[in-house]
Amino acid sequence: MTQFDILLRQGLMDANLEQYGRVLQSADSSEPDFSPRYLRERMRLLAAPQDWEERRTRPAPRRRRIPRGVAVAIAVLLLITAAAAVTVSLWVSYFGGLDQRQQEIIGDMEISGEKTEQPGPEKTAAESLLPPPVEHDGVTITPMRILGAKNKLYLILEIRAPEGTVFRPDETYQLFDGIQVPKERRTEMIGFSGGFTVLGAGTKEPNVMIGVAEWQASVDVGGCSYVVQALYRFTPDGEKETVFGGWDPETGPTDSWEIPIPGDLNGDRVLEPDVEGLAMTDGGKTMTLLSMSVSPLGVWWKYRLDGEDPWPRVRVALRMRDGSEVEAAPGQLTMGDMGTGCTATVDFAKPVDLSQAEAVLWGDAEIPLEQGPEK
């Protein structure tokens, strides 16, 4: 065991001693509530509190006192680690389970609140690209994590409603939100598809909700804005109540919480195979590809259409090096016009390791992929 491991373990014990003590005395299972690892340790101590008491009171003549500066650094590290563990568990809950490689992909791609290092000859610390919280009319919406590439976007949000608001896990909520494209980029028909999944309602605090907003678009969403305009609650009778946000019958929404989306959403993770001119004929229509982008989150392509069906559907999958195939999730979004070309996009149910992908299967066509992004 390294000296750092020893200090880390000691810091964990020192930082949580008071909280463990409250648990042992009150046996209150609702407090404290940190990472899953913390909860497992807490349950173990509740089952055998004498183990903790024995360890806490055991003489340790060889233990050296940790310098205050080191103890503070360890405490900060523990807080950051706990916060990261909570966020990872949110992604796991949202995607319905993630293996180690999928968690690594998300960890490499997501935009978080920590500072990052820019690559280059001289690496310097750069401020996080994560937008700051947005407050309006007593409601604060905080982006906790952003995961995106090209036209696909996920945001983990903390929504803090005014004091007195009570969210309940057994109730249904609907977020009125969307993507706003800058005016100078509105040169063609644009399509969006999105939704909001509640992961925690009133569990952290009565007036706090945690959820994931998911959006896919026919355009690159980097540099756009994510906008929330209202939150609704549905009663057991099916009635819709407004939690926050307003609506004017003539002008529409009266409130807005706008979060700018970073301009470069993991562009280095996007592969762009050479597909221009590749055509596929199906019945009375012909689709001719103009371009294609493949990311760990989904596939986006632009094409010219000749035929009567304006919104054709295409099977899309990835063939992996081991011979398996990763099918795109249901829900193909198609938009565009005959002048500039149509666009279509599909996403994957979970992030895919492109370094293990050999080809895109687009209908009957097989499109080779060059070596994927570095791990």
Side-chain angles (χ1 to χ4, degrees):
M1 182 181 297
T2 66
Q3 181 67 17
F4 177 79
D5 290 331
I6 295 173
L7 294 177
L8 185 59
R9 288 192 175 188
Q10 180 60 35
L12 177 62
M13 293 170 60
D14 292 343
N16 293 326
L17 176 58
E18 180 182 355
Q19 305 219 28
Y20 276 140
R22 290 203 303 269
V23 171
L24 295 174
Q25 293 174 12
S26 65
D28 181 1
S29 62
S30 65
E31 180 183 353
D33 184 11
F34 294 124
S35 67
R37 178 180 179 184
Y38 183 95
L39 291 176
R40 289 195 298 270
E41 180 69 5
R42 186 185 69 184
M43 294 302 295
R44 185 185 69 79
L45 292 174
L46 287 173
Q50 66 277 5
D51 292 348
W52 173 256
E53 289 297 322
E54 178 182 351
R55 182 168 57 179
R56 188 172 66 86
T57 58
R58 182 187 306 150
R62 296 184 181 180
R63 181 181 297 169
R64 293 184 297 176
R65 182 176 179 83
I66 300 177
R68 179 175 177 81
V70 175
V72 171
I74 292 175
V76 172
L77 175 62
L78 290 170
L79 290 174
I80 294 175
T81 303
V86 170
T87 305
V88 169
S89 67
L90 291 176
W91 286 126
V92 172
S93 299
Y94 176 74
F95 284 108
L98 295 169
D99 61 28
Q100 183 62 36
R101 182 58 185 141
Q102 290 166 337
Q103 293 184 40
E104 291 173 355
I105 293 171
I106 288 180
D108 291 340
M109 292 183 62
E110 70 175 3
I111 298 173
S112 65
E114 290 79 34
K115 292 183 178 181
T116 58
E117 286 190 347
Q118 297 288 355
E122 297 181 359
K123 293 184 178 181
T124 58
E127 292 297 329
S128 167
L129 295 176
L130 193 68
V134 181
E135 195 278 333
H136 169 66
D137 200 23
V139 176
T140 301
I141 300 180
T142 303
M144 300 171 64
R145 289 291 195 274
I146 293 178
L147 175 65
K150 191 71 177 185
N151 65 304
K152 188 66 182 179
L153 179 69
Y154 299 93
L155 302 98
I156 296 182
L157 301 174
E158 178 190 270
I159 300 175
R160 183 176 294 273
E163 293 292 337
T165 304
V166 177
F167 294 125
R168 296 182 176 85
D170 58 345
E171 293 182 329
T172 302
Y173 297 91
Q174 178 185 1
L175 195 66
F176 183 13
D177 59 347
I179 303 294
Q180 182 174 300
V181 180
K183 292 182 179 180
E184 62 272 16
R185 292 175 53 187
R186 302 175 193 172
T187 58
E188 59 184 79
M189 295 178 62
I190 299 176
F192 296 97
S193 176
F196 182 73
T197 302
V198 177
L199 299 182
T203 53
K204 180 179 179 181
E205 296 178 49
N207 62 323
V208 174
M209 175 184 292
I210 304 293
V212 178
E214 175 188 355
W215 283 86
Q216 60 178 340
S218 61
V219 295
D220 189 340
V221 297
C224 298
S225 295
Y226 170 73
V227 182
V228 174
Q229 295 177 315
L231 176 67
Y232 302 108
R233 181 204 322 263
F234 290 88
T235 67
D237 298 332
E239 297 293 328
K240 185 168 71 172
E241 299 177 346
T242 300
V243 179
F244 61 78
W247 180 272
D248 185 281
E250 296 183 359
T251 61
T254 60
D255 297 285
S256 178
W257 291 260
E258 184 173 335
I259 297 174
I261 302 170
D264 182 16
L265 282 180
N266 287 282
D268 60 336
R269 293 283 172 158
V270 176
L271 302 179
E272 297 184 346
D274 183 10
V275 297
E276 186 174 3
L278 179 63
M280 176 174 58
T281 300
D282 181 11
K285 61 180 180 293
T286 298
M287 292 174 284
T288 304
L289 284 174
L290 302 175
S291 62
M292 175 177 285
S293 298
V294 184
S295 82
L297 306 180
V299 181
W300 175 95
W301 64 97
K302 192 165 188 174
Y303 62 98
R304 185 176 63 254
L305 176 66
D306 298 308
E308 298 179 356
D309 183 1
W311 315 124
R313 315 287 289 185
V314 182
R315 174 185 179 264
V316 178
L318 294 181
R319 194 186 69 233
M320 312 305 284
R321 292 181 179 178
D322 61 4
S324 63
E325 293 184 4
V326 178
E327 289 272 358
Q332 178 175 313
L333 173 66
T334 306
M335 185 57 66
D337 58 65
M338 303 306 170
T340 60
C342 298
T343 59
T345 176
V346 294
D347 58 8
F348 301 119
K350 299 179 182 182
V352 178
D353 185 357
L354 289 189
S355 67
Q356 300 302 311
E358 286 186 333
V360 178
L361 305 179
W362 183 72
D364 295 332
E366 182 174 310
I367 303 169
L369 287 175
E370 299 295 333
Q371 183 177 356
E374 295 182 359
K375 297 182 180 179

